[in-house]
């Protein structure tokens, strides 16, 4: 399943906070080496867990969202359900991300 880009705060409010769906949001930066390394694996997860919506937001381009979410480390993966943030995984830790999906979103 494709990963959808969040390109504005309005986009974030509608697609993430305004949704009842299970969502994982990748907060990344284009220049971040760890973000580049985990990106293909995050895409693999999106193909495996098709019942979860996968989004990504470039925190340098959509700073309002990064500030609202309090993102300090890249990448940070945030889990949402029913428009509410449940938990997050800080860093490119694939096993922790997958465990978060299984525990919180399925």
């Amino acid at each position: 399943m494709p990963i959808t880009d969040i390109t504005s705060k309005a986009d974030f409010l509608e697609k993430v906070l305004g949704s009842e769906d299970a969502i994982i949001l990748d907060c990344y930066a284009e220049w971040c080496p760890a973000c580049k390394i985990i990106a293909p694996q995050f895409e693999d997860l999106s193909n495996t867990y098709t019942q979860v919506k996968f989004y990504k937001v470039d925190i340098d381009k959509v700073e309002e969202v990064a500030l609202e979410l309090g993102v300090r480390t890249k990448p940070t993966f945030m889990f949402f359900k029913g428009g509410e943030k449940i938990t997050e995984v800080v860093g490119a830790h694939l096993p922790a991300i997958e465990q978060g999906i299984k525990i919180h979103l399925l």
Side-chain angles (χ1 to χ4, degrees):
M1 192 165 196
I3 300 169
T4 304
D5 285 304
I6 299 293
T7 57
S8 66
K9 184 171 181 180
D11 206 17
F12 169 74
L13 293 172
E14 175 191 339
K15 292 179 179 170
V16 178
L17 297 186
S19 174
E20 291 300 313
D21 296 321
I23 293 168
I24 182 167
L25 177 65
D26 174 7
C27 304
Y28 76 100
E30 284 186 21
W31 54 265
C32 166
C35 299
K36 291 178 184 181
I37 291 169
I38 195 86
Q41 297 165 331
F42 187 64
E43 189 169 340
D44 289 343
L45 290 176
S46 76
N47 292 320
T48 301
Y49 299 100
T50 56
Q51 61 274 55
V52 175
K53 291 191 175 180
F54 285 71
Y55 293 103
K56 63 181 182 174
V57 60
D58 184 331
I59 62 168
D60 291 332
K61 291 182 180 173
V62 192
E63 289 181 29
E64 286 178 294
V65 171
L67 290 172
E68 183 173 322
L69 293 173
V71 177
R72 290 178 280 174
T73 303
K74 293 143 271 314
T76 296
F77 297 87
M78 298 193 177
F79 300 80
F80 294 84
K81 201 168 200 177
E84 298 290 326
K85 181 180 164 191
I86 300 167
T87 191
E88 66 184 46
V89 172
V90 177
H93 303 289
L94 187 64
I97 296 164
E98 189 163 17
Q99 181 181 15
I101 292 170
K102 290 177 181 176
I103 292 172
H104 299 291
L105 302 180
L106 298 182

XYZ file of all heavy atoms in Angstrom:
834
model
N 0.853 -1.179 0.000
C 0.000 0.000 0.000
C 0.896 1.238 0.000
O 1.882 1.281 0.726
C -0.878 -0.039 1.248
C -1.986 0.946 1.249
S -3.180 0.486 2.538
C -4.497 1.486 1.967
N 0.558 2.243 -0.779
C 1.444 3.420 -0.856
C 1.441 4.233 0.434
O 0.455 4.248 1.170
C 0.851 4.230 -2.010
C -0.569 3.793 -2.114
C -0.593 2.362 -1.655
N 2.552 4.899 0.659
C 2.684 5.808 1.795
C 2.309 7.196 1.291
O 2.825 7.649 0.276
C 4.117 5.795 2.349
C 4.479 4.383 2.819
C 4.263 6.805 3.469
C 5.935 4.193 3.129
N 1.420 7.867 2.014
C 0.921 9.173 1.596
C 1.699 10.278 2.303
O 1.929 10.206 3.506
C -0.580 9.302 1.930
O -1.274 8.213 1.316
C -1.147 10.603 1.430
N 2.087 11.305 1.544
C 2.773 12.464 2.103
C 1.779 13.412 2.752
O 0.715 13.690 2.201
C 3.518 13.238 1.012
C 4.784 12.550 0.573
O 5.633 12.275 1.429
O 4.926 12.298 -0.640
N 2.138 13.909 3.921
C 1.414 15.001 4.571
C 2.163 16.268 4.174
O 3.347 16.408 4.468
C 1.405 14.830 6.108
C 0.705 13.536 6.523
C 0.795 16.050 6.783
C -0.781 13.481 6.253
N 1.468 17.185 3.493
C 2.159 18.339 2.915
C 1.808 19.671 3.570
O 2.366 20.698 3.197
C 1.865 18.425 1.408
O 0.445 18.507 1.226
C 2.404 17.194 0.673
N 0.882 19.650 4.545
C 0.502 20.888 5.223
C -0.142 20.543 6.562
O -0.524 19.397 6.801
C -0.504 21.685 4.377
O -1.727 20.972 4.287
N -0.298 21.553 7.404
C -0.964 21.315 8.688
C -2.419 20.922 8.456
O -2.939 20.030 9.128
C -0.871 22.547 9.587
C -1.477 22.271 10.950
C -1.226 23.366 11.946
C -1.836 22.991 13.281
N -1.610 24.016 14.281
N -3.073 21.551 7.480
C -4.465 21.208 7.162
C -4.566 19.748 6.726
O -5.501 19.038 7.105
C -5.003 22.140 6.076
N -3.606 19.315 5.943
C -3.533 17.925 5.486
C -3.412 16.982 6.697
O -4.106 15.969 6.791
C -2.298 17.786 4.585
C -2.394 16.683 3.562
O -3.508 16.199 3.293
O -1.333 16.322 3.014
N -2.554 17.340 7.640
C -2.358 16.552 8.864
C -3.649 16.489 9.686
O -4.063 15.423 10.137
C -1.220 17.156 9.690
C -1.098 16.598 11.074
C -0.583 15.326 11.275
C -1.510 17.336 12.172
C -0.470 14.800 12.559
C -1.394 16.821 13.456
C -0.882 15.554 13.648
N -4.283 17.640 9.863
C -5.520 17.690 10.650
C -6.597 16.810 10.029
O -7.308 16.101 10.737
C -6.010 19.133 10.778
C -5.115 20.069 11.598
C -5.601 21.513 11.503
C -5.035 19.618 13.041
N -6.711 16.851 8.717
C -7.738 16.064 8.033
C -7.418 14.570 8.026
O -8.227 13.746 8.439
C -7.884 16.551 6.584
C -8.841 15.710 5.770
C -8.791 16.022 4.290
O -8.328 17.130 3.906
O -9.196 15.160 3.499
N -6.210 14.220 7.569
C -5.879 12.814 7.328
C -5.502 12.041 8.579
O -5.717 10.829 8.648
C -4.752 12.712 6.302
C -5.187 13.147 4.918
C -4.060 13.062 3.934
C -4.544 13.476 2.555
N -3.437 13.636 1.617
N -4.935 12.699 9.571
C -4.466 11.998 10.768
C -5.408 12.260 11.949
O -6.036 11.341 12.460
C -3.007 12.373 11.111
C -2.548 11.674 12.374
C -2.079 12.024 9.936
N -5.502 13.506 12.369
C -6.320 13.800 13.544
C -7.817 13.685 13.258
O -8.596 13.408 14.169
C -5.993 15.193 14.090
C -4.570 15.399 14.605
C -4.429 16.761 15.254
C -4.147 14.295 15.565
N -8.211 13.864 12.006
C -9.619 13.790 11.643
C -10.074 12.414 11.206
O -11.184 12.247 10.719
N -9.237 11.412 11.391
C -9.543 10.065 10.918
C -9.777 9.114 12.084
O -9.154 9.232 13.131
C -8.378 9.541 10.074
O -8.581 8.193 9.724
N -10.645 8.155 11.881
C -10.876 7.090 12.862
C -9.945 5.903 12.620
O -9.906 4.970 13.408
C -12.341 6.628 12.801
C -13.325 7.667 13.319
C -13.084 8.040 14.778
O -12.901 7.135 15.612
O -13.064 9.254 15.085
N -9.211 5.940 11.516
C -8.369 4.816 11.108
C -7.149 4.636 11.999
O -6.728 5.547 12.712
C -7.896 5.009 9.662
C -9.054 5.005 8.679
O -9.988 4.203 8.861
O -9.009 5.799 7.721
N -6.549 3.447 11.896
C -5.250 3.164 12.504
C -4.188 3.746 11.577
O -4.171 3.451 10.384
C -5.059 1.667 12.656
N -3.323 4.592 12.134
C -2.357 5.341 11.323
C -0.987 5.296 11.971
O -0.860 5.392 13.187
C -2.815 6.816 11.195
C -4.096 6.891 10.362
C -1.708 7.701 10.620
C -4.789 8.232 10.411
N 0.033 5.185 11.115
C 1.406 5.399 11.564
C 1.984 6.533 10.725
O 1.839 6.558 9.504
C 2.261 4.114 11.503
C 3.675 4.390 12.030
C 2.289 3.528 10.119
C 4.493 3.154 12.296
N 2.600 7.479 11.402
C 3.149 8.668 10.757
C 4.666 8.686 10.944
O 5.159 8.672 12.070
C 2.539 9.930 11.379
C 3.056 11.269 10.883
C 2.712 11.490 9.413
C 2.494 12.404 11.740
N 5.379 8.712 9.826
C 6.836 8.798 9.818
C 7.222 10.269 9.751
O 6.966 10.938 8.749
C 7.375 8.039 8.600
C 8.880 8.171 8.402
O 9.564 8.739 9.266
O 9.367 7.690 7.349
N 7.791 10.799 10.821
C 8.287 12.174 10.868
C 9.772 12.121 10.524
O 10.576 11.619 11.308
C 8.061 12.767 12.249
S 6.339 12.726 12.794
N 10.120 12.618 9.344
C 11.479 12.456 8.823
C 12.018 13.770 8.281
O 11.303 14.773 8.222
C 11.483 11.392 7.714
C 10.921 11.896 6.402
C 11.762 12.291 5.372
C 9.551 12.013 6.200
C 11.246 12.776 4.176
C 9.028 12.489 5.026
C 9.880 12.879 4.012
O 9.369 13.369 2.842
N 13.280 13.746 7.876
C 13.897 14.869 7.164
C 14.689 14.283 5.990
O 15.278 13.212 6.114
C 14.821 15.648 8.088
N 14.663 14.972 4.866
C 15.335 14.472 3.662
C 16.836 14.262 3.872
O 17.417 13.356 3.298
C 15.111 15.432 2.483
C 13.744 15.327 1.887
C 13.586 16.176 0.638
O 14.598 16.541 0.010
O 12.430 16.469 0.283
N 17.460 15.088 4.681
C 18.905 15.027 4.876
C 19.337 13.966 5.885
O 20.523 13.682 6.032
C 19.425 16.397 5.341
C 18.703 16.908 6.542
C 17.645 17.762 6.559
C 18.944 16.561 7.915
N 17.214 17.977 7.852
C 17.997 17.250 8.705
C 19.865 15.742 8.556
C 17.947 17.146 10.094
C 19.808 15.639 9.939
C 18.870 16.335 10.685
N 18.391 13.364 6.581
C 18.672 12.449 7.694
C 19.090 11.058 7.195
O 18.293 10.367 6.559
C 17.422 12.360 8.562
S 17.405 11.011 9.734
N 20.319 10.610 7.487
C 20.774 9.297 7.022
C 19.931 8.134 7.555
O 19.596 7.210 6.805
C 22.213 9.197 7.539
C 22.641 10.601 7.789
C 21.396 11.349 8.162
N 19.563 8.161 8.829
C 18.750 7.075 9.400
C 17.371 7.028 8.743
O 16.806 5.947 8.537
C 18.614 7.250 10.908
N 16.838 8.197 8.394
C 15.531 8.257 7.716
C 15.610 7.583 6.346
O 14.686 6.863 5.949
C 15.086 9.707 7.543
S 14.883 10.616 9.096
N 16.707 7.817 5.646
C 16.893 7.211 4.320
C 17.044 5.701 4.419
O 16.548 4.964 3.572
C 18.117 7.821 3.628
C 17.917 9.256 3.227
C 19.171 9.821 2.604
C 18.987 11.302 2.286
N 20.162 11.885 1.671
N 17.714 5.245 5.459
C 17.939 3.803 5.633
C 16.632 3.080 5.950
O 16.365 2.005 5.414
C 18.994 3.553 6.732
C 20.375 4.010 6.238
C 19.025 2.092 7.145
C 21.434 4.062 7.316
N 15.794 3.653 6.791
C 14.568 2.973 7.227
C 13.435 3.106 6.204
O 12.493 2.308 6.218
C 14.117 3.474 8.625
C 13.076 2.544 9.248
C 13.548 4.867 8.558
C 13.612 1.398 9.986
N 13.507 4.072 5.294
C 12.402 4.334 4.356
C 11.949 3.099 3.569
O 10.745 2.827 3.504
C 12.760 5.484 3.420
N 12.853 2.310 2.967
C 12.375 1.132 2.229
C 11.729 0.084 3.135
O 10.774 -0.590 2.735
C 13.636 0.561 1.567
C 14.684 1.587 1.701
C 14.280 2.504 2.824
N 12.216 -0.029 4.354
C 11.636 -0.986 5.303
C 10.257 -0.515 5.768
O 9.351 -1.329 5.965
C 12.581 -1.175 6.492
C 13.904 -1.776 6.061
C 14.984 -1.642 7.109
O 14.985 -0.715 7.905
N 15.916 -2.584 7.118
N 10.088 0.792 5.915
C 8.791 1.359 6.268
C 7.793 1.086 5.138
O 6.644 0.736 5.385
C 8.941 2.861 6.534
C 7.711 3.529 7.078
C 7.202 3.190 8.316
C 7.071 4.523 6.352
C 6.078 3.820 8.832
C 5.949 5.155 6.855
C 5.452 4.801 8.095
N 8.272 1.200 3.915
C 7.422 0.895 2.758
C 7.032 -0.582 2.749
O 5.882 -0.924 2.461
C 8.121 1.277 1.462
C 7.202 1.174 0.265
C 7.779 1.804 -0.982
O 8.699 2.632 -0.883
O 7.290 1.448 -2.062
N 7.973 -1.451 3.081
C 7.650 -2.889 3.182
C 6.548 -3.129 4.218
O 5.638 -3.925 3.989
C 8.893 -3.709 3.552
C 9.904 -3.801 2.412
O 9.536 -3.519 1.253
O 11.063 -4.156 2.707
N 6.636 -2.439 5.362
C 5.599 -2.577 6.393
C 4.241 -2.132 5.854
O 3.213 -2.739 6.166
C 5.956 -1.762 7.640
C 7.117 -2.267 8.487
C 7.403 -1.282 9.616
C 6.849 -3.646 9.041
N 4.236 -1.081 5.034
C 2.964 -0.584 4.488
C 2.331 -1.613 3.560
O 1.108 -1.657 3.432
C 3.158 0.750 3.769
O 3.771 0.574 2.503
N 3.151 -2.436 2.933
C 2.635 -3.494 2.063
C 2.175 -4.710 2.866
O 1.318 -5.463 2.420
C 3.686 -3.901 1.032
C 3.950 -2.802 0.031
O 3.044 -2.120 -0.411
N 5.211 -2.603 -0.306
N 2.755 -4.907 4.045
C 2.392 -6.033 4.901
C 1.134 -5.741 5.715
O 0.247 -6.580 5.813
C 3.559 -6.361 5.861
O 4.709 -6.673 5.077
C 3.215 -7.530 6.771
N 1.057 -4.561 6.301
C -0.051 -4.199 7.191
C -1.008 -3.247 6.459
O -1.081 -2.053 6.754
C 0.483 -3.572 8.483
C 1.355 -4.522 9.247
C 2.741 -4.446 9.181
C 0.795 -5.544 10.013
C 3.549 -5.348 9.874
C 1.590 -6.441 10.704
C 2.961 -6.334 10.625
O 3.755 -7.231 11.309
N -1.741 -3.802 5.510
C -2.590 -2.980 4.640
C -3.817 -2.413 5.360
O -4.469 -1.521 4.835
C -3.038 -3.787 3.411
O -3.697 -4.981 3.853
C -1.839 -4.168 2.536
N -4.123 -2.911 6.550
C -5.257 -2.382 7.307
C -4.887 -1.109 8.070
O -5.742 -0.465 8.658
C -5.841 -3.444 8.243
C -4.895 -3.972 9.299
C -4.012 -5.131 8.855
O -3.300 -5.053 7.865
N -4.037 -6.219 9.615
N -3.610 -0.748 8.029
C -3.112 0.468 8.678
C -2.774 1.478 7.590
O -2.221 1.116 6.551
C -1.853 0.158 9.526
C -1.258 1.427 10.115
C -2.175 -0.857 10.611
N -3.091 2.755 7.833
C -2.721 3.807 6.887
C -1.332 4.326 7.258
O -1.061 4.613 8.423
C -3.742 4.929 6.893
C -5.063 4.501 6.293
C -5.963 5.678 6.073
C -7.215 5.206 5.355
N -8.132 6.304 5.103
N -0.476 4.438 6.257
C 0.891 4.901 6.442
C 1.049 6.289 5.829
O 0.727 6.501 4.666
C 1.871 3.937 5.771
C 2.078 2.663 6.529
C 1.091 1.691 6.602
C 3.280 2.424 7.182
C 1.278 0.506 7.302
C 3.481 1.248 7.886
C 2.479 0.294 7.947
N 1.541 7.216 6.648
C 1.793 8.585 6.203
C 3.223 8.961 6.563
O 3.830 8.380 7.465
C 0.843 9.569 6.886
C -0.597 9.410 6.484
C -1.507 8.785 7.325
C -1.048 9.906 5.269
C -2.838 8.645 6.962
C -2.378 9.767 4.892
C -3.265 9.134 5.741
O -4.578 8.992 5.378
N 3.734 9.980 5.858
C 5.038 10.540 6.216
C 4.965 12.050 6.079
O 4.213 12.573 5.257
C 6.152 9.948 5.358
C 6.054 10.243 3.881
C 7.199 9.582 3.124
C 7.111 9.918 1.649
N 8.254 9.424 0.899
N 5.724 12.732 6.940
C 5.771 14.186 6.903
C 7.226 14.623 7.035
O 7.943 14.173 7.935
C 4.878 14.817 8.003
C 5.305 14.407 9.404
C 4.831 16.333 7.857
N 7.658 15.457 6.103
C 8.997 16.038 6.154
C 8.929 17.193 7.148
O 8.296 18.219 6.876
C 9.409 16.521 4.763
C 10.831 17.062 4.726
O 11.320 17.578 5.761
O 11.467 16.977 3.660
N 9.548 17.017 8.291
C 9.398 18.005 9.362
C 10.102 19.334 9.079
O 9.833 20.323 9.752
C 9.845 17.437 10.727
C 11.300 17.056 10.704
C 8.965 16.250 11.111
C 11.853 16.765 12.070
N 10.975 19.345 8.071
C 11.580 20.617 7.669
C 10.648 21.407 6.757
O 10.693 22.634 6.735
C 12.914 20.377 6.956
C 13.984 19.869 7.899
O 13.918 20.175 9.106
O 14.898 19.163 7.426
N 9.811 20.717 6.010
C 8.891 21.378 5.085
C 7.553 21.716 5.734
O 6.891 22.666 5.328
C 8.652 20.493 3.859
C 9.882 20.361 2.981
C 9.598 19.521 1.763
C 10.854 19.407 0.906
N 10.668 18.470 -0.206
N 7.152 20.937 6.719
C 5.872 21.169 7.403
C 6.176 21.342 8.897
O 5.811 20.525 9.735
C 4.880 20.005 7.146
C 3.479 20.395 7.610
C 4.856 19.603 5.681
N 6.862 22.442 9.196
C 7.349 22.690 10.551
C 6.220 22.808 11.572
O 6.391 22.421 12.731
C 8.205 23.957 10.576
C 9.543 23.782 9.884
C 10.392 25.042 9.948
O 10.246 25.820 10.916
O 11.193 25.238 9.024
N 5.064 23.320 11.158
C 3.935 23.474 12.085
C 3.539 22.130 12.698
O 3.252 22.046 13.886
C 2.712 24.039 11.361
C 2.801 25.502 11.034
C 1.563 25.932 10.271
O 1.369 25.469 9.136
O 0.789 26.724 10.843
N 3.540 21.093 11.875
C 3.178 19.760 12.360
C 4.259 19.237 13.298
O 3.964 18.693 14.355
C 2.926 18.786 11.183
C 2.766 17.362 11.683
C 1.703 19.224 10.396
N 5.515 19.434 12.929
C 6.622 18.990 13.776
C 6.565 19.658 15.140
O 6.752 19.006 16.176
C 7.958 19.285 13.091
N 6.271 20.947 15.168
C 6.171 21.673 16.434
C 4.982 21.195 17.252
O 5.094 20.987 18.457
C 6.061 23.180 16.168
C 7.326 23.848 15.641
C 7.037 25.288 15.220
C 8.433 23.812 16.676
N 3.843 20.995 16.596
C 2.650 20.536 17.302
C 2.862 19.164 17.926
O 2.414 18.890 19.031
C 1.451 20.489 16.353
C 0.170 20.095 17.055
C -1.053 20.218 16.170
O -1.124 21.176 15.374
O -1.936 19.362 16.297
N 3.585 18.290 17.206
C 3.828 16.934 17.690
C 5.032 16.848 18.624
O 5.243 15.822 19.264
C 4.020 15.984 16.508
C 2.783 15.761 15.639
C 3.153 14.943 14.408
C 1.681 15.081 16.437
N 5.839 17.892 18.674
C 7.010 17.887 19.545
C 8.126 16.984 19.054
O 8.859 16.406 19.861
N 8.279 16.885 17.744
C 9.319 16.025 17.168
C 10.682 16.653 17.430
O 10.932 17.795 17.066
C 9.104 15.831 15.647
C 10.234 15.009 15.051
C 7.758 15.187 15.375
N 11.568 15.866 18.059
C 12.918 16.353 18.338
C 13.984 15.490 17.694
O 15.103 15.927 17.512
C 13.154 16.435 19.845
C 12.349 17.547 20.479
C 12.549 17.581 21.951
N 11.680 16.513 22.481
C 11.648 16.130 23.718
N 12.435 16.673 24.589
N 10.837 15.179 24.109
N 13.642 14.250 17.400
C 14.601 13.311 16.820
C 14.035 12.765 15.523
O 12.841 12.517 15.414
C 14.866 12.153 17.798
O 15.334 12.704 19.033
C 15.894 11.193 17.262
N 14.912 12.574 14.560
C 14.509 12.021 13.273
C 15.162 10.672 13.071
O 16.322 10.543 13.395
C 14.911 12.970 12.135
C 14.133 14.257 12.184
C 14.953 15.421 11.789
C 15.750 16.219 12.687
N 15.573 16.788 13.889
N 14.427 9.695 12.586
C 12.983 9.701 12.405
C 12.258 9.410 13.715
O 12.811 8.819 14.624
C 12.753 8.556 11.415
C 13.849 7.566 11.728
C 15.033 8.420 12.138
N 11.020 9.866 13.768
C 10.109 9.505 14.851
C 8.845 8.953 14.205
O 8.320 9.562 13.267
C 9.763 10.717 15.734
O 10.952 11.181 16.374
C 8.743 10.359 16.803
N 8.394 7.808 14.676
C 7.204 7.161 14.136
C 6.100 7.262 15.183
O 6.266 6.792 16.310
C 7.496 5.693 13.803
C 8.532 5.561 12.729
C 9.880 5.540 13.041
C 8.170 5.490 11.400
C 10.856 5.444 12.054
C 9.131 5.396 10.397
C 10.472 5.375 10.730
N 4.991 7.899 14.807
C 3.887 8.124 15.738
C 2.687 7.282 15.329
O 2.362 7.183 14.152
C 3.531 9.600 15.781
C 4.681 10.437 16.280
S 4.177 12.098 16.673
C 5.732 12.741 17.298
N 2.042 6.707 16.337
C 0.907 5.816 16.130
C -0.370 6.527 16.570
O -0.431 7.048 17.684
C 1.101 4.541 16.950
C 2.341 3.774 16.584
C 3.587 4.152 17.062
C 2.258 2.676 15.744
C 4.728 3.456 16.723
C 3.405 1.960 15.402
C 4.636 2.347 15.889
N -1.375 6.530 15.699
C -2.645 7.192 15.967
C -3.792 6.217 15.730
O -3.726 5.375 14.835
C -2.859 8.385 15.024
C -1.901 9.514 15.220
C -0.647 9.496 14.626
C -2.243 10.611 15.995
C 0.247 10.546 14.795
C -1.359 11.668 16.167
C -0.113 11.630 15.565
N -4.831 6.370 16.526
C -6.060 5.612 16.305
C -7.218 6.485 16.764
O -7.157 7.062 17.854
C -6.042 4.294 17.075
C -6.997 3.253 16.529
C -6.715 1.914 17.154
C -7.292 0.810 16.295
N -6.983 -0.512 16.841
N -8.225 6.614 15.908
C -9.355 7.475 16.251
C -8.966 8.927 16.421
O -9.576 9.650 17.196
N -7.943 9.370 15.698
C -7.503 10.759 15.772
C -6.669 11.095 16.995
O -6.281 12.234 17.194
N -6.361 10.091 17.816
C -5.581 10.313 19.041
C -4.223 9.638 18.933
O -4.127 8.497 18.488
C -6.312 9.731 20.253
C -7.655 10.370 20.536
C -7.544 11.789 21.050
O -6.574 12.092 21.776
O -8.426 12.603 20.712
N -3.192 10.337 19.371
C -1.855 9.734 19.407
C -1.810 8.712 20.535
O -2.185 9.017 21.672
C -0.788 10.807 19.611
C 0.611 10.243 19.628
C 1.622 11.335 19.836
C 2.949 10.732 20.234
N 3.887 11.742 20.685
N -1.324 7.525 20.204
C -1.249 6.438 21.185
C 0.157 6.336 21.758
O 0.345 6.275 22.965
C -1.633 5.098 20.533
C -3.055 5.171 19.998
C -1.474 3.955 21.508
C -3.410 4.028 19.082
N 1.135 6.287 20.873
C 2.523 6.126 21.311
C 3.445 6.538 20.175
O 2.974 6.947 19.104
C 2.803 4.666 21.754
O 4.071 4.607 22.407
C 2.770 3.698 20.583
N 4.748 6.417 20.387
C 5.720 6.716 19.339
C 6.958 5.860 19.514
O 7.214 5.332 20.595
C 6.086 8.196 19.338
C 6.831 8.655 20.571
C 7.094 10.152 20.566
O 6.191 10.944 20.272
O 8.237 10.522 20.877
N 7.682 5.727 18.410
C 8.986 5.078 18.412
C 9.974 6.109 17.890
O 9.812 6.631 16.784
C 9.008 3.817 17.509
C 10.424 3.271 17.384
C 8.062 2.755 18.047
N 10.976 6.417 18.695
C 11.988 7.386 18.312
C 13.191 6.632 17.764
O 13.723 5.741 18.424
C 12.396 8.264 19.514
C 13.500 9.225 19.129
C 11.183 9.021 20.043
N 13.573 6.974 16.545
C 14.716 6.332 15.906
C 14.288 5.272 14.912
O 13.124 4.897 14.827
N 15.259 4.798 14.145
C 15.014 3.841 13.067
C 15.097 2.411 13.595
O 15.979 1.649 13.211
C 16.016 4.072 11.934
N 14.178 2.055 14.488
C 14.167 0.737 15.115
C 13.027 -0.088 14.538
O 11.913 -0.087 15.076
C 14.033 0.867 16.638
C 15.106 1.698 17.258
N 16.403 1.264 17.359
C 15.082 2.938 17.785
C 17.129 2.200 17.924
N 16.357 3.236 18.193
N 13.308 -0.793 13.442
C 12.271 -1.546 12.735
C 11.515 -2.522 13.627
O 10.278 -2.546 13.587
C 12.862 -2.260 11.513
C 11.843 -2.939 10.607
C 10.908 -1.923 9.978
C 12.543 -3.758 9.550
N 12.174 -3.333 14.470
C 11.413 -4.254 15.321
C 10.432 -3.523 16.256
O 9.306 -3.982 16.461
C 12.485 -4.997 16.123
C 13.714 -4.901 15.268
C 13.616 -3.552 14.602
N 10.832 -2.388 16.791
C 9.958 -1.622 17.680
C 8.778 -1.029 16.910
O 7.658 -0.986 17.420
C 10.743 -0.512 18.373
N 9.024 -0.605 15.683
C 7.946 -0.060 14.847
C 6.928 -1.155 14.543
O 5.721 -0.958 14.707
C 8.518 0.543 13.546
C 9.422 1.732 13.873
C 7.387 0.954 12.595
C 10.320 2.155 12.727
N 7.427 -2.312 14.130
C 6.516 -3.412 13.804
C 5.751 -3.884 15.043
O 4.552 -4.155 14.979
C 7.272 -4.566 13.160
C 6.345 -5.626 12.610
C 7.006 -6.570 11.633
O 8.245 -6.638 11.585
O 6.262 -7.257 10.921
N 6.419 -3.944 16.175
C 5.744 -4.330 17.422
C 4.661 -3.307 17.775
O 3.569 -3.670 18.201
C 6.747 -4.461 18.559
C 6.101 -4.881 19.865
C 7.109 -4.982 20.993
O 8.218 -4.508 20.912
N 6.700 -5.625 22.076
N 4.952 -2.022 17.581
C 3.974 -0.972 17.831
C 2.737 -1.133 16.971
O 1.607 -0.937 17.432
N 2.937 -1.484 15.713
C 1.803 -1.727 14.810
C 0.969 -2.870 15.338
O -0.266 -2.776 15.444
C 2.300 -2.012 13.374
C 2.925 -0.773 12.753
C 1.145 -2.532 12.501
C 3.663 -1.022 11.445
N 1.618 -3.979 15.689
C 0.896 -5.170 16.138
C 0.150 -4.922 17.449
O -0.976 -5.365 17.621
C 1.870 -6.335 16.309
C 2.404 -6.866 14.998
C 3.412 -7.965 15.236
C 3.979 -8.514 13.940
N 5.026 -9.515 14.172
N 0.766 -4.207 18.373
C 0.160 -3.992 19.699
C -0.915 -2.905 19.667
O -1.984 -3.077 20.237
C 1.244 -3.620 20.739
C 2.147 -4.828 20.992
C 0.621 -3.135 22.037
C 3.339 -4.503 21.856
N -0.636 -1.801 18.992
C -1.499 -0.633 19.114
C -2.471 -0.409 17.962
O -3.480 0.275 18.147
C -0.644 0.631 19.293
C 0.209 0.596 20.511
N -0.314 0.652 21.790
C 1.545 0.482 20.659
C 0.667 0.586 22.668
N 1.806 0.492 22.008
N -2.168 -0.942 16.791
C -2.981 -0.596 15.629
C -3.803 -1.725 15.038
O -4.702 -1.489 14.245
C -2.095 0.030 14.538
C -1.325 1.293 14.955
C -0.501 1.807 13.801
C -2.263 2.373 15.476
N -3.497 -2.971 15.381
C -4.241 -4.084 14.781
C -5.352 -4.560 15.690
O -5.365 -4.396 16.853
C -3.308 -5.246 14.453
C -2.226 -4.934 13.439
C -1.387 -6.169 13.163
C -2.816 -4.441 12.136
